[in-house]
Structures are given as structure tokens and as C-alpha cells.
Amino acid sequence: MSAPVTDKEKRKQISVRGIAQVENVANVKKSFNRHLHYTIIKDRHVSTQRDYYFSLANVVKDHLVSRWIRTQQHYYETDPKRVYYLSLEFYMGRSLTNTMINLGIQGACDEAMYQLGLDIEEMEEMEADAGLGNGGLGRLAACFLDSMATLAMPSYGYGIRYEYGIFTQKIENFEQCEEPDDWLRFGNPWEKARPEYTVPVHFYGNVVYTAEGGRKWVNTEVVLAMPYDNPIPGYGNNVCNTLRLWSAKSPLSFNLKVFNTGDYIQSVLDRNIAENISRVLYPNDNMFEGKELRLKQEYFLCAATLNDVVRRFKASKFGSREVARTNFDLMPDKVAIQLNDTHPAMAIPELMRILLDDEHLAWDQAWTVTTKCCAYTNHTILPEALERWPVTMLQELLPRHLEIIYHINHLHMEQVKAKYGDDAEKLKQLSCIEEDGEKRVNMAHLAIIGSHTVNGVAFIHSELIKKSLFKPFFEYCPEKFQNKTNGITPRRWLLLCNPMLADLISEKIGDDWPVHLDQLTQLKEWAEDPKFQDEVMKVKQNNKNKLAAYLKEQTDIDINPSSLFDIQVKRIHEYKRQLLNILHIITLYNRIKKNPSAPFTPRTVMIGGKAAPGYYMAKQIIKLFNRVGAVVNADPMVGDKLKVVFLENYRVTLAEKIMPAADLSEQISTAGTEASGTGNMKFMLNGGLTIGTLDGANVEMAEEMGNENIFIFGMTVDDVEAVQAKGYNAYDYYNESPELKQVIDMIKDGFFTPGNNDEFKDVVDLLLNNDRFLTLADYKAYIAAQDDVSATYNNTTKWAEMAIHNIASSGKFSSDRTIAEYAREIWGMEPNYEKLPDPHGLMGSKENSPE
């Protein structure tokens, strides 16, 4: 077992990060001491590790602000088309290291801290993750921001500044417990409040006619939206874009009725109620709950953001000699709005409301502007995830918007009739109002009707939405449908998290690849070169040693660092089939027990991920995994052949430690259920091999690397449909396979829960009687594929060659490629690889604050 790389060795690894210039190091030291003194107001005798982190963050921010101001000035002066990325989630993680890397100052900061006798890694560990997301959708938004800045696109992320992000997961007594994530407790050095751009957001009230015959929303309750701006630096191009997050504030004036009763104290206390809107992120992934507070959050984001969008369009410097630009027909040439799933779909009726009621456009003109500006990304085909808001709730909360939605649907239905005649079935399928049972608004249908483009997030997913979920819409308007396969930013997911591999790559192919990831194909040249194979595997082993040491510290489990690291990290959900993984673990355990002296490829199986707090089955899955782990890890006959480890509180920062250390990536959802997946790409980029079904982006990954470099198993989408058509009977599989039967019986008979045989009866009942995701149907194929994995792992040369092919085939899965496609094919914009001028020495010139 080779020792983890020492600090000294790490400082030698400078190919990608550049040699630190002496004067830069001196400047950083001076600036650091100055911030410790003037910003943190401490001296070295009383400073804590956190004080040092805040000082360094401020030093780094100093390097950002001139770029930030200059970038916003540049946009103001050139009046480009701007893209607004609206998302209820931005899963950003930490910002310090990423910012240093993108600004090219990591070397100088590292050296400066070293000379001051401080450990930069310990300081980095003080930063709280910005956990403003649940999983894939929120992390995708974060990767997209990084790519838009790196491609110098005039872009803005818009979201909510949740006071509490995704809960902190603790495992107690084998079960998940949730603790609030008070990520802002110590302050956030990256954000800048902009109270001067606060906007009012209205709720409730009623709608009346105006003297001119228009409609007006009156008697509303007002909540203020205060923006906090967060810098988004591009990689090495001096661009710095903005992520603007809205925070809810109570307006200053009291409700007079309450005030006149003289209950002043209660009135002040009640201000909290309004401010609850931005208090906490809903912790559901792929599940619609239909809570009023969530609808308030969605509208709050849309209303505040569109106020900004329209203000910026009207006040732009170019395009008009008037004080303000008032020709809204020009708006689609200057504004692109991307809806990240249906969560911000209220942007469509809200933009209509602004154009009709505030700007007094005619309906047809307003509708043309709205549809030309908006585009919608679908993220899932699971029916339980689709947002369908009760009409009664909308009527109370947003009465004007409900009117607008009804009218949108009325005119849409007229057009459908013009095409199909009075076909009641077609009208029903294409309506955004659902009439059966409680009347609801189908937000996906509204988003399709109100957008010029609809996209899925992987080839197979985009095909499936056209064939099933949105089939009637695809037949009605096929030209709206596109695919945009997801991607990940190679800056965070290779350069930052795996510097040793990054340096190895740069030695071979130069250091342009972080912005041109397709250059990684050049590595194929060395896939069979024993020396390069050896270097790649050495890096992997080093990363495994580091993770093993970290997990020993966290869990006190001794992990065999030369075992195969088999990792499944993602939200816990039945469709992701963590249960299939558990069935394999028990199968391996039984094989060891049956024949302890047989040759066995040692494995450490790790699962990480959070279950939604109200999702009973997902929590049972976590408990079962931990119960199985307790038995396996304590069995002396097993020894270090098999270890089972739950990765507690999986989040962006933990992913950065896991991805570089994985040998095997588990992507085992039932074919046709995972829209894309992006964790799969992170493992691939870091040289992990995939065991997976033909689902989501796995399909395209296999295409890029060749089937010989990935372990594909199980039913295809067509097979799944065939099984469902004939009627899935889990008992057929249970009775056919003795190994499977033994595994299920052990869970059923309480082998892992002595004293409580019924602990997992619901899990067994799910698997045998009502498993929508056909787990047992794929068991046999999965076990066979896993046996193939073990055999391959023992052939080090073959494994190394496959790992290199994985890395070399990752180019397509850069979010830069994804964003370039959105830009050209949806937003009507062009990515730009040129640098903005270096802003240093700029401080004397006229400056605009980044608004």
C-alpha cells in the first residue's frame, strides 16, 4: 500500500496549476494578513482555523471582484442576448478551491499558506457545502453555471437562497435521521446582498377589471424578494457571471387591521411567516408533494426573476434611443429563459401577466414574446414526479395566473380543434387542465405549450418522452422536441477532485483539455502502454488509500485498500435499485460462508445517498443495507474479503473524495427510468468502470467507449415493456434461482435482524408482490455481470486498459459540450473561447457594480 502523497510532493505537481510567481505569493501573504486583521479582526494568537478560512476566502474574492465588475460592464456595453437559467435547486458544494483553480491562483495561495505555516487543506475543510439541491437536477444546474461562464456566455442563474439546504444525514441505530443544514450559521463569504434590487412579490387577493377593460390583480399580500449575488468564475478566461439567489423578507408596513388592535409585538413576530418562503429546501427528489409552501417558493422565484429580466431588457444601453427600450418584440432577441424542470413553469403565466397587465401588450403579441423566450427541460418520466397543482390552490394563491392559464389553455384547445376536429380524447390528452377527479393544472403540459423548445437529458430519455409521456404533444408539435445529453464540469470533477490524474493527463496531452475535453481521446494511444497503465493505477491506488483512511476515521471500519471499491452513490429510490446491490452483497456473503477457502476477489461495497424524510421504503433500504453490513463486517470467516460501508451524508464534497477512488460504478436502474444520470459520468472521467443497465446516459457512454469497456447487463426498455405486458411475477425468478431464494429467505426470516424477524417484511413484500421496478427479473444477469467484474479485476492489465478507455471516452460528457448545444440549438447564442482582458490595474477606471 503506497502512502498518500505528501504536501511536498503535491507542491511539485504544478503542470496544470502553474508555477507560483514569487511576487504573487508575497501579495497573497500580505493580503491574507491584512484580511485577518481588518476583516476578521483577529490576530494570529486567537485566530481559529475558520478565521483563516474566511481570510483566505476574502483574499481569493479580492481577485474575483474586478473580473466580476468588468464582466458585467462588458455585458452592459455590448448588450448581448442573455440567458436566464431558472432552477429551484443549485447544488453548488464548496467554492474556495474551485475559485482558486478557475482564477489560476491555486499555486500562489497554496505556497503562501505553506510559508505562513498553515495547512490549506484544513482551511478548505472549514467551508460549508452550499447544499441548495437534492441531487442530479440541482448539481446539473451548478455544472451548467460553470460551463456558461467558461464559454463566456452572458448568463445568470436564478434560484432561492434557502436558509436551510438539504438536510444533514446521520445514521443512528442503522437508520437515517435528519438534522437541519444550517449552512449560513458562520456567514457566507462569497455572497453579496443587493437590497437595492429588492422586488415585491404578490400573493392571494382578487382580480378586477380596469377602466380600459384590462385585468388587474388587487388586494394582494406582499412579500419582498431580496437578491444575494454569488460570483461564478469561468476557467482561465477572466469572465465572472452571477448566480442571483432570492431571499424572502417581510414588508415594513403592517396589516392595518392587526396594527389597530394594538398588537404591535405580535405583528413583528408574524413577519417570520412571510420570510418562511425561503427558509428550507424541500427534500424530495423525483416526488411531487403538492404543498402550498412549495408553490409559493416556485412563484416567488419566477416573479422576482422576471421582474429582473424585464427591467434589464428595458434599461439596456443599446437598441433604443429612448430612456427605456419599450418594443417588446425585440425581447426574444435579447432574452432566453431556460426552465430547469417544471418547478419554475409559473414563469410562463407570470411573464404573460407582466406583459398584459403592466406593459399593456395585446394577448397575441405577449404570447409570441413569451413562447419565443421560454424553453423547458424535462428531467424525469416517473409519473409521481410530475407537478399537478390543484386549481383550488391556484385560485386562492394566484388568481390572476389561474385566469391566464385558463385562457392559454382555451386558445390552445382551439388550435388543437383546428388540427384534429372535435376529438375529445385528443383534447383531453393535450389540455393542461386535468378534469378527472380534483381539477388540476398539469405543469409539464403548460411548460410545453408555453415554450418554443422541450428537451430531454439523454438520447434514450428524449426518445421515451416522445414515445410515451408526451406522445400526444410530439405528434401535435414534433418540431419542439430536442435532446441535450447532460454533462459534468471537468474543472470540479477532475482538475479539482483528482489533481494527480489531471497532472498525468497533462503530461501526455498538454493542458488544454479542461476546456476541450474531447482532447482526452488522445489518451487511447497509451491505453496498452504498460508504463502509462501503471501510472494510472498508481494514482487510483493513492486515491483509494486516501478514501480508506478517511472512512476509517469516519466509521472505524478497516477497509482493505487493495479490494475492489464497488460504489453506488445517488439518492435512495426504488427505481435506482439499491436493493439489487444489496441482494448481490448477500449472495457474495453466502458464497464465502459456503466455501471459505475458494478463491474470492476482495470487495468493499459502498452505498451512499439520502432518502426523502417521508419516503418509508427508501429509509427501509438504508436500514437493510446497514443491518447486512453489521453482520458481514463482524463475521470473522469473511475477514477482509468483503466489507460493507454506508457513506453517511453523501453530498458534493464527499463525492469529490469518492469519485477518484472508485473502481466500479453502479448504475443499475430499471431500463427506462433514469433520465440521464451524471454520477455515471463522474466515475467514468476518473477511471472507474461501470456496471449498468442500458438506461439514461449509460447508453451513450457504452457507445463512446465500446461495449468491451463497460459491464452492461439486464433488460432493455423493450424487454421491460414485454415483461410488464405479460405480467411480472417475481415468484418465477424467486423459485428458479436457489441463490436468490436463499437471499430473500434470509431477509424474510430475520437473519440480519435477530429478535425481530418481521423487520423487513415490507421490503420482501415489495420485492415479491409489488415491485414496479422488476428487481428480481434482473438478478441473474446482474450476478453474472458482477462475476465478470471480479474476474476482470484480477487481470490488472486488462482493468487498467479499460480504465484508460473510460477516461479517454469521457469528452462528450463535458457540460461545456451540453451548454454549447443549448446555446446554438435552443438559445440562439454562440459559445466564445476568447478571454476577456485581464482586469488588473483596472481599479482607476469607471466601475459598475454587477447588477
Side-chain angles (χ1 to χ4, degrees):
M1 169 176 167
S2 53
V5 178
T6 65
D7 283 350
K8 208 174 230 98
E9 284 172 326
K10 202 156 90 213
R11 260 187 305 284
K12 276 192 244 159
Q13 297 170 345
I14 47 166
S15 55
V16 181
R17 283 165 298 288
I19 297 165
Q21 303 291 316
V22 176
E23 63 273 25
N24 293 353
V25 174
N27 283 339
V28 170
K29 284 160 71 175
K30 196 166 136 192
S31 181
F32 177 84
N33 285 326
R34 193 181 157 76
H35 274 296
L36 195 59
H37 191 86
Y38 289 104
T39 311
I40 313 300
I41 315 179
K42 290 270 189 95
D43 64 28
R44 287 288 294 265
H45 301 296
V46 291
S47 294
T48 63
Q49 203 61 250
R50 177 165 284 106
D51 295 327
Y52 295 142
Y53 156 66
F54 275 108
S55 286
L56 180 57
N58 277 289
V59 171
V60 172
K61 195 165 63 173
D62 288 348
H63 287 257
L64 256 185
V65 288
S66 47
R67 291 173 169 92
W68 200 2
I69 289 169
R70 172 56 70 92
T71 302
Q72 302 307 315
Q73 265 179 337
H74 175 70
Y75 294 155
Y76 179 72
E77 285 159 6
T78 53
D79 187 33
K81 185 169 188 177
R82 293 167 158 97
V83 59
Y84 295 94
Y85 196 84
L86 273 66
S87 181
L88 262 277
E89 303 185 17
F90 287 93
Y91 206 169
M92 302 297 288
R94 291 175 177 164
S95 292
L96 177 61
T97 319
N98 185 248
T99 305
M100 293 191 297
I101 287 171
N102 281 12
L103 296 186
I105 59 173
Q106 193 187 21
C109 293
D110 209 344
E111 183 59 31
M113 295 307 102
Y114 178 71
Q115 289 182 17
L116 290 170
L118 298 170
D119 183 341
I120 196 165
E121 281 191 12
E122 280 179 31
M123 289 153 71
E124 290 165 347
E125 286 298 319
M126 297 315 299
E127 183 172 5
D129 270 46
L132 308 185
N134 278 284
L137 173 147
R139 183 53 232 175
L140 184 79
C143 284
F144 278 4
L145 294 181
D146 183 81
S147 286
M148 288 187 284
T150 296
L151 297 181
M153 297 181 55
S155 56
Y156 302 78
Y158 272 93
I160 293 177
R161 181 180 178 266
Y162 301 108
E163 220 170 287
Y164 295 88
I166 185 67
F167 61 85
T168 299
Q169 179 193 55
K170 288 266 159 56
I171 301 297
E172 281 168 23
N173 200 15
F174 308 104
E175 300 185 77
Q176 167 177 300
C177 302
E178 300 90 23
E179 288 180 358
D181 165 43
D182 190 7
W183 72 289
L184 292 169
R185 180 170 59 245
F186 298 104
N188 174 2
W190 306 106
E191 69 184 6
K192 177 70 183 84
R194 299 268 180 222
E196 67 276 25
Y197 292 107
T198 296
V199 299
V201 175
H202 300 264
F203 293 101
Y204 304 109
N206 56 290
V207 189
V208 296
Y209 279 101
T210 62
E212 302 77 40
R215 300 290 278 160
K216 194 175 177 199
W217 187 14
V218 296
N219 303 320
T220 57
E221 289 184 20
V222 175
V223 176
L224 301 179
M226 186 195 287
Y228 286 75
D229 286 352
N230 297 265
I232 307 291
Y235 178 74
N237 63 353
N238 298 317
V239 169
C240 186
N241 286 335
T242 302
L243 166 61
R244 176 163 283 184
L245 300 175
W246 299 102
S247 184
K249 291 281 285 179
S250 182
L252 287 174
S253 56
F254 290 141
N255 176 332
L256 278 177
K257 264 204 315 284
V258 177
F259 189 64
N260 290 339
T261 64
D263 202 344
Y264 162 74
I265 296 291
Q266 195 53 47
S267 299
V268 174
L269 301 184
D270 286 347
R271 290 168 60 81
N272 264 327
I273 296 165
E275 295 172 1
N276 277 337
I277 290 177
S278 57
R279 193 80 66 204
V280 58
L281 167 74
Y282 271 86
N284 298 327
D285 193 68
N286 280 305
M287 182 68 199
F288 174 61
E289 235 190 333
K291 293 276 191 280
E292 183 182 53
L293 179 59
R294 171 68 168 196
L295 180 57
K296 278 186 174 170
Q297 289 181 340
E298 293 182 354
Y299 177 65
F300 176 77
L301 168 64
C302 295
T305 301
L306 281 164
N307 182 285
D308 252 20
V309 170
V310 171
R311 172 182 59 77
R312 213 175 270 123
F313 167 72
K314 286 167 74 171
S316 183
K317 186 171 168 182
F318 282 86
S320 172
R321 293 183 189 281
E322 305 157 70
V323 181
R325 181 153 49 188
T326 52
N327 180 2
F328 280 90
D329 291 331
L330 302 174
M331 194 163 153
D333 299 330
K334 293 296 172 188
V335 170
I337 296 168
Q338 192 67 35
L339 308 175
N340 195 24
D341 214 324
T342 57
H343 313 146
M346 288 305 294
I348 291 165
E350 172 63 10
L351 182 51
M352 285 299 288
R353 186 196 66 75
I354 293 170
L355 296 177
L356 296 168
D357 300 0
D358 298 348
E359 302 296 339
H360 309 294
L361 270 61
W363 179 282
D364 289 349
Q365 187 191 5
W367 183 242
T368 301
V369 170
T370 298
T371 53
K372 282 184 172 175
C373 286
C374 295
Y376 156 56
T377 301
N378 171 271
H379 281 273
T380 181
I381 58 168
L382 294 183
E384 64 266 34
L386 298 179
E387 295 196 293
R388 297 151 61 247
W389 290 107
V391 162
T392 49
M393 194 185 286
L394 284 163
Q395 177 63 61
E396 187 192 11
L397 196 67
L398 301 167
R400 177 64 179 130
H401 296 77
L402 185 60
E403 277 187 0
I404 290 169
I405 290 167
Y406 273 142
H407 196 58
I408 288 170
N409 199 53
H410 166 72
L411 295 176
H412 170 60
M413 291 288 95
E414 293 301 305
Q415 288 182 311
V416 172
K417 277 182 202 159
K419 180 162 182 170
Y420 292 120
D422 258 331
D423 182 335
E425 190 53 29
K426 275 274 184 276
L427 291 169
K428 183 180 161 180
Q429 290 173 345
L430 289 165
S431 173
C432 69
I433 311 293
E434 296 181 356
E435 304 274 3
D436 27 273
E438 188 183 14
K439 219 174 180 188
R440 293 173 176 271
V441 177
N442 182 313
M443 298 306 282
H445 290 185
L446 177 63
I448 296 169
I449 295 162
S451 295
H452 62 87
T453 304
V454 178
N455 73 281
V457 290
F459 176 77
I460 187 175
H461 169 238
S462 297
E463 291 303 303
L464 280 170
I465 63 175
K466 295 190 295 195
K467 284 196 196 105
S468 57
L469 185 64
F470 300 143
K471 184 168 191 265
F473 281 95
F474 177 62
E475 289 166 353
Y476 176 69
C477 49
E479 69 287 347
K480 279 193 183 184
F481 287 77
Q482 294 189 17
N483 171 245
K484 295 285 167 279
T485 299
N486 285 161
I488 58 173
T489 169
R491 273 75 61 182
R492 185 175 294 268
W493 297 114
L494 181 45
L495 213 47
L496 181 156
C497 72
N498 201 345
M500 290 184 288
L501 181 59
D503 284 339
L504 197 51
I505 292 169
S506 294
E507 278 167 29
K508 288 290 185 199
I509 66 169
D511 50 20
D512 264 355
W513 60 264
V515 275
H516 299 284
L517 201 65
D518 47 347
Q519 291 180 7
L520 292 183
T521 53
Q522 296 170 43
L523 293 172
K524 290 186 181 178
E525 201 184 310
W526 295 282
E528 295 174 47
D529 172 356
K531 186 171 178 297
F532 188 60
Q533 288 179 352
D534 188 50
E535 287 173 318
V536 169
M537 294 321 280
K538 267 210 180 79
V539 166
K540 177 66 76 180
Q541 190 56 59
N542 224 302
N543 290 325
K544 287 171 71 174
N545 295 346
K546 267 173 140 162
L547 182 63
Y550 173 81
L551 291 174
K552 169 69 178 165
E553 195 184 300
Q554 297 290 310
T555 66
D556 208 37
I557 298 172
D558 282 300
I559 292 167
N560 170 4
S562 61
S563 65
L564 190 162
F565 281 18
D566 170 349
I567 307 185
Q568 185 176 22
V569 281
K570 49 188 73 244
R571 286 297 292 253
I572 311 294
H573 203 295
E574 288 159 70
Y575 87 85
K576 294 177 185 284
R577 296 204 296 193
Q578 282 93 353
L579 276 173
L580 185 56
N581 192 341
I582 295 172
L583 297 182
H584 175 242
I585 294 168
I586 302 172
T587 305
L588 290 183
Y589 175 70
N590 289 340
R591 287 180 180 177
I592 294 170
K593 296 292 278 183
K594 188 175 174 185
N595 191 352
S597 58
F600 186 88
T601 305
R603 276 197 196 226
T604 303
V605 185
M606 310 178 208
I607 290 185
K610 293 174 183 177
Y615 187 173
Y616 168 72
M617 192 51 70
K619 290 186 140 181
Q620 287 292 100
I621 291 168
I622 292 176
K623 195 202 291 191
L624 175 60
F625 179 82
N626 286 321
R627 282 289 193 180
V628 171
V631 169
V632 172
N633 296 345
D635 193 322
M637 203 182 283
V638 174
D640 66 0
K641 288 181 181 170
L642 183 60
K643 284 280 187 278
V644 178
V645 182
F646 188 81
L647 300 165
E648 188 175 273
N649 199 33
Y650 180 62
R651 59 200 186 282
V652 174
T653 293
L654 186 51
E656 290 164 9
K657 295 176 167 70
I658 290 164
M659 299 300 169
D663 291 308
L664 186 68
S665 154
E666 299 262 359
Q667 308 298 335
I668 58 180
S669 52
T670 313
T673 62
E674 188 73 88
S676 166
T678 45
N680 46 5
M681 303 168 186
K682 291 159 197 166
F683 285 114
M684 178 184 177
L685 181 61
N686 283 279
L689 305 192
T690 300
I691 182 167
T693 50
L694 283 174
D695 198 21
N698 299 356
V699 177
E700 289 158 85
M701 285 163 50
E703 225 165 77
E704 292 295 301
M705 73 178 83
N707 278 327
E708 67 280 8
N709 292 303
I710 186 168
F711 300 95
I712 295 289
F713 75 93
M715 296 178 289
T716 61
V717 169
D718 291 344
D719 296 336
V720 167
E721 282 171 13
V723 168
Q724 283 166 338
K726 95 169 186 9
Y728 171 64
N729 182 3
Y731 282 96
D732 294 346
Y733 305 94
Y734 169 79
N735 291 319
E736 179 204 330
S737 162
E739 273 197 313
L740 174 57
K741 185 175 190 309
Q742 183 190 3
V743 169
I744 300 273
D745 289 350
M746 286 164 74
I747 300 171
K748 188 168 66 188
D749 299 340
F751 181 87
F752 300 102
T753 49
N756 185 0
N757 295 0
D758 288 343
E759 178 91 62
F760 296 114
K761 74 170 193 313
D762 294 332
V763 175
V764 173
D765 185 55
L766 171 84
L767 286 172
L768 291 177
N769 299 311
N770 46 21
D771 179 6
R772 292 161 59 202
F773 303 107
L774 317 180
T775 308
L776 302 196
D778 269 339
Y779 171 82
K780 216 166 133 180
Y782 180 57
I783 300 297
Q786 286 284 22
D787 291 344
D788 188 16
V789 168
S790 291
T792 309
Y793 187 72
N794 291 328
N795 179 348
T796 318
T797 304
K798 175 84 180 113
W799 190 275
E801 185 187 328
M802 289 172 75
I804 293 164
H805 274 290
N806 270 261
I807 298 165
S809 308
S810 300
K812 175 180 179 177
F813 305 107
S814 170
S815 46
D816 298 349
R817 187 267 317 151
T818 312
I819 286 298
E821 288 181 6
Y822 274 95
R824 294 181 176 126
E825 296 163 28
I826 298 181
W827 303 331
M829 299 166 73
E830 199 49 44
N832 179 3
Y833 292 93
E834 285 164 37
K835 282 186 177 187
L836 281 185
D838 193 318
H840 284 298
L842 162 106
M843 294 324 252
S845 73
K846 180 180 74 73
E847 291 184 5
N848 270 339
S849 70
E851 61 81 34

